[in-house]
Amino acid sequence: MLRQYELVDRVLAYDPDADEALLNRAYVFSLQAHGSQKRASGDPYFSHPIEVAGILTDLQLDDETIATAILHDTIEDTVATAEQIEKIFGASVARLVDGVTKLSKIEAQTENERAAENLRKFLLAMSSDIRVLLVKLADRLHNMRTLHHIPSEAKRRRIAKETMDIYAPLAERIGMYEFMREMQTLAFQQLEPDAYDSITKRLDQLREGGGDLISRIGSGIRLQLGRNGIQAEIMGREKHPYSIWKKMAERHISFEQLSDVMAFRVIVKTVDECYRALGIVHQRWPMVPGRFKDYISTPKRNGYRSLHTSVIHSEKMRIEIQIRTEDMHAEAEYGLAAHWAYKLGQPARSEGNSGWIRDLVDILEHADNPEELLEHTRMAMYQDRIFAFSPTGELIQLPKGSTPIDFAYAVHTDLGDQAVGAKVNGRVVPLRTPLENGDQVQILRSKAQEPQPEWLSYAITGKARSSIRRFVRHKEREEMVALGRKFYKEIVGRIPAQLGPDAIRNALKRLKVPDEETLMEAIARKLVDDATVMDALMPGSAEKAGVKREVPHQREAISIKGLTPGVAFQLAPCCNPVPGDRIVGLRREDQPVEVHMIECPKLADSQDADWVDLAWGDKADGGTAKLRVIVKNEPGSLGVMAGILGAHKANIVNLSLSHRDRSFHTNDVTIEVHDVQHLMKILAALRAADAISAAERV
C-alpha cells in the first residue's frame, strides 16, 4: 500500500502546483473514517482507496480527482457525511465524491428499476464532470484485481458480469483501452474459466514454440523502417485472452485457425511518418485485403486515432500492425485521461466523447421505463461504429447496421421526426436500408411527416429508438383520450337527467383520477366501466338508466372519424373492414378497440370482449381490402390485373400466388381503397376482363 508521503510525491512529480495540504487531509480523513474495516483479502479496507488513487496518479490526474479517489468510499461505507466532505474539502470534491457514490450503488443491484435509476443519476453526474467516471473506473479496476479474494463464486460472477456489461464499455467509449483490456481479461477469467485456461495454455505453448518470435518480428519491422529513414519504437504483444475468445466465437473458428494472434504498435514522431511507415510495411510484406483501417483521417467517436493493417509476415503468419504518433499512443492507452488539463480548472474534452455523453443524456430524457433506459444505454456503449457523411461533408458516426432513420436522428431529432425517405450516394432508398462505411446520406423530409411505429423494427441506435417510442407513446395517449371523449359523450347521453356544471369535477374526485384527460384515457382503455362512470357523474344514474355492469346499453354508434388506425383502434386483419362496411368494435381491457365487419365470423369467438357499435363518420380515411383473383394461365394476364388496379388508383400492398394449375393462377392481393364503393367498382372491372376468371373479396 502506498504511504502518505509516497502518494503526495507522485502527484507533485507531475504537478508541482498541486494542493499538498488537500491530499494530506484526504489521506488522514479516509484513514480515520475506515478505521479497522477489512477487505475480503484481510487487508485494511483503507488500502483500497489508496490503491485507486495510485492508479489515477499513473494517469497524472489533478489533485481534486486524487482526493476524490481517497475519499470515494467514505460516505457509503463509513459514518462520514456529504456535509462533512464539503465542509473539509470543498464543494467540488464533495460533488465528485457524491457522483462516484451514486455509481457505486449500481453494484449489487438486481432489480432493473433500481439499477436504472442509479445509472440515470450517474450519467447525469458524468455529463457535468467526467472525472466521476475516471475515479469509478479506477475503483472497479482495483476491485477486479482483488476479485479472487471473494469466497462466493456467485458474487464474483455477478461483479465480473457488471464489469463486462457496464464498466469495460464505458472505458472503451472514452478511449481508455488499457483499462478496458485488463477489466475484460479479469472478468473473462471469472465468467468463462475453462475458456480462459484453454486460451492462456495455448498462448504459453505458442511462446515456447516460437521462442523470441515477438522480438524477432519487432526487430525486423524496426530495421525495415530504419533503412528508409524512419526511427520508430516497436512494441509487440499477444492479443489478450478475451479478445481472442471473442474472435473465435464471432468467426466460428478454433485457436489454430486464428491467424492474427500477435499485434505490433509502431510509434513514430509525426502524422506524415505514419503514412510513410504504412507504405514501407506494405511494400515489404503482402497486405491482407479488407484489413486496413485509417482512424487518423476518420477517428473513432472516442477520439482514437491510428492506422491499422494486417500483413502476411515472412514468419508465415498474419500479424496486425498499428501505426501512430506518441500523442496518439498515449490517447489510445488512456483516452480522455491522457490529455487532461485541469491546471486552468477546465478539462480538455474531446468533441467525440462529449457528443457521446450528450446522446446518453438525451436517452435519459426520452426513456419511459427502466428496461428502455438500460437497453438504449447499452446500445450506445456496445456497438461497433461506421462512418457516414452528410451532403455538406459532415462526418456522422453510427453503430454498424444503422439505417437512414438512425442517421437522421443522429443529426437532429426534428430531422428524424420528419424523415420520409433518403438518398444514399445519390440514389433514393427506403429508410430501412442498412448503411455502409463511407456512404453519403441525404434525408428527405416533410413537415407533414411524423414518427412511425414501424421504424422501431429497423432503427438500432438508442437515440432513434427512444425518440420514436416517446412520440408513439404521446400519440397513443392523444388518440386514447380522443376515443375516450367519444365514449364519454355517449355515456353522458344515457344519463336520465341534465348534468350540473361541477359533475365532471366531482366525478374525478369520486374516481380518484387526477384530471379529465386521464379519465378519458381510462374509459378508452376500459380500465373503468360505463356504469361506474355514470354513477360517478350522477350517483344512482346507472341503475335508473337500466345499465347492467356486465352489459352496458349503447344508444348510438360511436364514430371513429379522426382517429388513426393502429393506435386507438385496429382494423381486424381477419375481415379488413373499409369505410362503408357496417362495423362493430371489440373492447378489451388496456387494448386498442378491435374493429370488425358485422359479418365477420371471428365475432362469434369474442366472448372475452364487450361489443361496441361503431360508425366510420363522414369522409373516413380509406383502408385495405384483400381480394382473391383467379387469372388465366397465359402471358399478360397478371399485367391486365395490375393495369385495372392502377387505372382505379388502387395501390397494391401485397401480392402472392396461392395456387397454380395448367389453366389458372389464383392470386391473393391486398390493395388500398377509399371505401366500399371504390372496392365494388374495382371488383366489377376485374370480373369484366377476359383474362380474369373470377375476383372476390376475401
Side-chain angles (χ1 to χ4, degrees), residues 417-490:
D417 289 346
Q418 298 172 6
V420 293
K423 283 185 177 180
V424 175
N425 303 324
R427 184 168 57 90
V428 177
V429 299
L431 287 173
R432 64 172 61 248
T433 306
L435 298 177
E436 301 290 340
N437 231 341
D439 282 345
Q440 185 187 71
V441 184
Q442 179 185 353
I443 301 299
L444 309 176
R445 65 193 298 182
S446 168
K447 290 184 178 179
Q449 176 66 303
E450 56 188 29
Q452 303 298 308
E454 60 265 24
W455 289 357
L456 289 170
S457 64
Y458 48 84
I460 71 167
T461 61
K463 183 177 181 181
R465 293 182 66 83
S466 62
S467 297
I468 296 165
R469 280 177 170 165
R470 177 190 177 202
F471 180 87
V472 169
R473 284 192 301 268
H474 181 71
K475 178 74 172 177
E476 183 179 356
R477 177 174 168 79
E478 278 187 348
E479 295 266 326
M480 283 295 183
V481 169
L483 179 61
R485 291 192 188 281
K486 293 175 182 286
F487 282 122
Y488 174 78
K489 182 180 178 182
E490 198 280 329

Side-chain angles (χ1 to χ4, degrees), residues 153-442:
E153 180 185 354
K155 186 175 181 180
R156 291 199 307 271
R157 288 180 62 84
R158 176 180 59 75
I159 293 172
K161 189 172 189 310
E162 285 173 353
T163 302
M164 198 71 88
D165 285 351
I166 295 176
Y167 297 106
L170 281 170
E172 190 272 339
R173 278 293 172 255
I174 61 169
M176 298 182 69
Y177 287 96
E178 196 61 37
F179 274 42
M180 179 200 74
R181 281 190 288 268
E182 187 173 353
M183 283 193 283
Q184 285 179 339
T185 299
L186 293 169
F188 177 54
Q189 186 175 4
Q190 295 294 331
L191 296 172
E192 301 286 347
D194 293 339
Y196 176 85
D197 290 342
S198 174
I199 290 173
T200 50
K201 286 178 182 176
R202 297 291 182 87
L203 289 173
D204 291 341
Q205 293 170 1
L206 188 65
R207 291 187 207 104
E208 293 171 4
D212 58 347
L213 185 60
I214 290 179
S215 177
R216 290 202 310 272
I217 294 175
S219 297
I221 296 172
R222 185 183 299 106
L223 180 63
Q224 188 68 23
L225 294 174
R227 288 173 178 169
N228 289 272
I230 295 180
Q231 299 302 312
E233 180 184 357
I234 310 295
M235 292 181 287
R237 62 172 177 81
E238 296 149 346
K239 294 189 174 179
H240 64 290
Y242 175 71
S243 174
I244 293 173
W245 178 80
K246 189 177 178 183
K247 284 195 173 184
M248 289 167 59
E250 287 174 350
R251 300 178 188 176
H252 304 287
I253 57 176
S254 65
F255 184 89
E256 289 76 17
Q257 294 172 297
L258 196 65
S259 54
D260 50 352
V261 176
M262 294 183 183
F264 292 84
R265 294 165 183 166
V266 177
I267 314 299
V268 296
K269 297 187 181 302
T270 66
V271 173
D272 179 64
E273 286 187 347
C274 288
Y275 288 99
R276 287 178 55 207
L278 177 70
I280 293 166
V281 167
H282 282 179
Q283 284 180 330
R284 175 62 182 82
W285 295 287
M287 170 193 169
V288 178
R291 297 302 304 274
F292 169 65
K293 295 176 182 176
D294 185 347
Y295 293 122
I296 294 180
S297 64
T298 53
K300 289 187 178 182
R301 199 172 188 188
N302 58 21
Y304 175 87
R305 294 175 298 157
S306 188
L307 298 177
H308 287 202
T309 188
S310 291
V311 299
I312 301 174
H313 195 266
S314 51
E315 297 277 353
K316 304 299 181 187
M317 63 183 302
R318 289 186 183 185
I319 60 171
E320 181 182 318
I321 299 177
Q322 301 168 1
I323 307 171
R324 57 180 75 139
T325 65
E326 293 176 359
D327 289 343
M328 292 176 193
H329 179 64
E331 189 168 342
E333 295 301 291
Y334 299 110
L336 198 61
H339 52 83
W340 206 254
Y342 251 94
K343 293 180 181 178
L344 298 177
Q346 293 295 328
R349 298 181 185 273
S350 80
E351 183 59 33
N353 280 300
S354 61
W356 170 68
I357 294 169
R358 282 197 302 272
D359 282 352
L360 287 182
V361 174
D362 194 42
I363 289 169
L364 292 181
E365 295 172 354
H366 289 176
D368 184 57
N369 55 55
E371 288 74 18
E372 277 189 26
L373 174 59
L374 294 173
E375 173 198 345
H376 295 159
T377 304
R378 285 168 180 162
M379 280 181 178
M381 291 193 294
Y382 278 134
Q383 294 160 310
D384 293 334
R385 317 301 286 184
I386 63 168
F387 301 92
F389 296 88
S390 72
T392 59
E394 180 186 1
L395 181 65
I396 304 294
Q397 297 190 44
L398 295 165
K400 190 175 182 180
S402 291
T403 61
I405 201 66
D406 296 302
F407 181 94
Y409 277 105
V411 174
H412 197 280
T413 301
D414 289 345
L415 182 61
D417 289 346
Q418 298 172 6
V420 293
K423 283 185 177 180
V424 175
N425 303 324
R427 184 168 57 90
V428 177
V429 299
L431 287 173
R432 64 172 61 248
T433 306
L435 298 177
E436 301 290 340
N437 231 341
D439 282 345
Q440 185 187 71
V441 184
Q442 179 185 353

